[in-house]
Amino acid sequence: MAVQPPPADQRIVIENVAIATVDANDTEYARGHVVILGNRIESVGNGPAPQWLDNVVRRINGEGHLITPGLVNTHHHFYQWITRGLAQDSILFDWLVALYPIWSRIDDRLVHAASQGSAAALLKSGCTTASDHHYVFPQGGGDILGASIEAVGELGMRFTALRGSMSRGKSDGGLPPDFAVEKTEDILIASEAAVDRWHDSSFGSMLHVAIAPCSPFSVTTDLMREAAELARRKGVRLHTHGSEAAEEEQFCKELFGMGPTDYFESVGWLGEDVWMAHCVHMNDSDIAKFAETGTGVAHCPSSNARLAAGIARVPDMLTAGVPVGLGVDGTASNESGELGTELRNALLINRLHGRPDALTARSALRLGTMGGARVLGRQNEIGSIEVGKLADLALWKIDGIMHSSIADPVAALTMGALPPLATLFVNGNAVVEKGNLTTVNEDQIALACARAAKELASRV
Ligand SMILES: [Zn+2]
């Protein structure tokens, strides 16, 4: 059963804590307080909390801790939790060709296990909102999207479920084998049904649905166009992979006579309601188009490194005004599955562009919080610690041996080892305490995932 919101009149007080609000002015408090009322932030500021507060069910002494907004993951494939450690030394296209035959044998039961593994890794590393791009729907696989939604609800994470798809098989010039793709008409019907069944656009929603054909090399042009029309008719967002690898650019030039960004523009896929994963191979004109249209980017530094895809031009994107968030990407190309560690990876990898201030400690934190919130269209609800926003908060312990001598609490989080997570609040509920899930037994998830991985491998 999904985790229920806390009583609306219940208060939780966190005091004596270092606070990085990530508001518009990057306001920080060296020793302040945060008050949660129900599922929202009631107050944040310097010094102790007001004394007159009633119905305080919990008072946390945050001495030696840093509180930040919960992290927001903008790109993932939860099902890949049970296909980790395979095709270890391949570039994107070879890696995909090796894995498609395995992935095309999944079903709803295996996806439930894998989704709990992926969601657990995200929660345990400070992530409070995640999107999951699911694009493999084998015939007879059952209610796969429903299984992922149920799995995430049980762990209590805020979620955007992406109804993905592949429609361009090998015989149409695509990369996936023909048996792994669906018919365009079936995809559109299923995508619309998913929006009707699950998408909740209300303030504080725990569940959004978006429409997400997989990539230019696995989706027909007709489906790209029709998916965009469908999403705009239903008022939901659009997501896909874009400009991930050099081979993709070559593929687009050969098949469409243009690069990926120009192709996306030609099929109506640039706009404020669109975000794309990776965007590694972007020229100045591509970045300008993203900035002009408000198209968002999910930056996935670890996955890009794992597949030797290249380094996205994140500093240039931020200078141009492109909305950028962070993504773990699927765990078949980022076996860690932790979002917290992506803060440091993004900071370090972007400095390889040759500028020591390419990403600062604070801009890395902003990418992982407000940046992601904006990319998912939820900047008014989550992403910063501000009065009235949802109580999605990460309390990091920074007085232990790994962090106590780092001069700056934010640098401790984004430049040091990932600190222990004391408590993670999602929607006002403590879903992680002292690093462990409070909602579902972790050993059971680990066992279910190990069994699911074996079962899937045995089907090939
Ligand atoms: Zn991906």
Side-chain angles (χ1 to χ4, degrees):
M1 211 179 93
V3 175
Q4 297 303 303
D9 62 346
Q10 157 187 306
R11 285 193 172 85
I12 296 170
V13 174
I14 304 146
E15 291 178 298
N16 308 319
V17 67
I19 305 170
T21 67
V22 198
D23 66 7
N25 303 314
D26 265 334
T27 306
E28 293 178 11
Y29 303 101
R31 196 177 176 82
H33 69 271
V34 177
V35 179
I36 299 171
L37 174 63
N39 69 344
R40 301 232 200 156
I41 296 162
E42 184 182 33
S43 75
V44 52
N46 226 343
Q51 291 306 302
W52 50 265
L53 297 173
D54 57 10
N55 212 12
V56 176
V57 297
R58 186 174 176 193
R59 197 173 279 275
I60 298 173
N61 181 5
E63 188 83 49
H65 290 68
L66 166 71
I67 194 165
T68 67
L71 306 180
V72 178
N73 187 51
T74 57
H75 185 66
H76 209 307
H77 312 288
F78 281 7
Y79 73 94
Q80 292 181 7
W81 191 257
I82 56 173
T83 61
R84 294 187 293 162
L86 306 176
Q88 292 177 17
D89 307 312
S90 301
I91 59 167
L92 176 68
F93 276 23
D94 298 340
W95 174 86
L96 284 169
V97 168
L99 289 165
Y100 284 138
I102 305 171
W103 293 341
S104 64
R105 287 167 172 87
I106 55 164
D107 60 30
D108 50 5
R109 196 167 46 79
L110 300 185
V111 166
H112 183 279
S115 298
Q116 291 215 321
S118 286
L122 289 172
L123 289 167
K124 284 163 68 66
S125 64
C127 172
T128 49
T129 297
S131 62
D132 171 31
H133 186 185
H134 191 90
Y135 54 85
V136 191
F137 291 88
Q139 283 205 342
D143 183 8
I144 285 178
L145 208 62
S148 70
I149 289 169
E150 190 185 304
V152 172
E154 287 165 3
L155 268 62
M157 189 164 60
R158 208 177 293 285
F159 193 38
T160 299
L162 307 182
R163 208 303 177 178
S165 50
M166 297 193 291
S167 64
R168 190 192 289 275
K170 213 162 183 173
S171 59
D172 288 329
L175 193 68
D178 287 349
F179 62 79
V181 306
E182 298 174 275
K183 290 197 190 91
T184 296
E185 196 189 326
D186 295 344
I187 291 165
L188 292 167
I189 290 169
S191 301
E192 183 158 8
V195 174
D196 291 340
R197 183 170 167 197
W198 288 301
H199 181 64
D200 170 11
S201 61
S202 65
F203 185 96
S205 167
M206 292 299 289
L207 181 56
H208 279 193
V209 174
I211 295 174
C214 188
S215 64
F217 52 83
S218 61
V219 171
T220 57
T221 303
D222 281 352
L223 178 58
M224 290 300 287
R225 280 209 185 90
E226 290 179 46
E229 282 168 21
L230 173 64
R232 281 162 188 149
R233 180 159 59 77
K234 305 300 282 186
V236 297
R237 298 176 85 75
L238 281 165
H239 178 63
T240 192
H241 293 90
S243 306
E244 179 173 0
E247 310 88 73
E248 177 188 335
E249 189 163 356
Q250 204 181 329
F251 178 97
C252 287
K253 284 188 169 149
E254 278 168 21
L255 209 65
F256 312 125
M258 57 187 108
T261 299
D262 292 336
Y263 174 63
F264 290 132
E265 186 180 34
S266 76
V267 290
W269 266 76
L270 295 183
E272 279 182 2
D273 55 351
V274 183
W275 86 102
M276 296 196 196
H278 306 302
C279 303
V280 173
H281 298 270
M282 302 262 280
N283 59 32
D284 290 348
S285 155
D286 297 335
I287 291 175
K289 282 181 181 178
F290 271 56
E292 276 161 29
T293 56
T295 306
V297 171
H299 174 48
C300 306
S302 294
S303 171
N304 296 156
R306 158 75 152 85
L307 296 173
I311 304 173
R313 295 170 58 188
V314 172
D316 294 336
M317 293 176 191
L318 294 176
T319 302
V322 177
V324 185
L326 288 182
V328 165
D329 201 3
T331 45
S333 64
N334 177 4
E335 275 73 3
S336 118
E338 296 172 301
L339 185 57
T341 50
E342 296 299 314
L343 299 171
R344 179 167 184 265
N345 292 346
L347 181 147
L348 295 177
I349 284 176
N350 278 284
R351 290 188 180 192
L352 295 175
H353 289 300
R355 274 173 41 199
D357 61 347
L359 273 190
T360 64
R362 279 155 185 83
S363 52
L365 178 60
R366 179 168 289 277
L367 276 189
T369 53
M370 270 310 282
R374 187 174 166 206
V375 163
L376 296 184
R378 306 202 66 169
Q379 63 271 29
N380 297 323
E381 300 170 90
I382 57 172
S384 60
I385 305 180
E386 294 182 81
V387 173
K389 279 196 161 181
L390 296 162
D392 289 8
L393 302 162
L395 185 65
W396 308 94
K397 178 173 162 57
I398 53 166
D399 60 356
I401 189 165
M402 300 299 286
H403 303 91
S404 63
S405 54
I406 299 179
D408 165 25
V410 175
L413 172 63
T414 61
M415 301 177 99
L418 188 66
L421 187 60
T423 307
L424 186 75
F425 291 98
V426 180
N427 210 39
N429 286 314
V431 297
V432 176
E433 295 279 14
K434 292 192 175 162
N436 297 313
L437 301 180
T438 63
T439 49
V440 177
N441 184 297
E442 290 184 18
D443 292 341
Q444 283 174 10
I445 296 177
L447 192 62
C449 288
R451 284 186 179 144
K454 269 196 192 128
E455 185 176 341
L456 182 57
S458 73
R459 290 180 185 177
V460 180

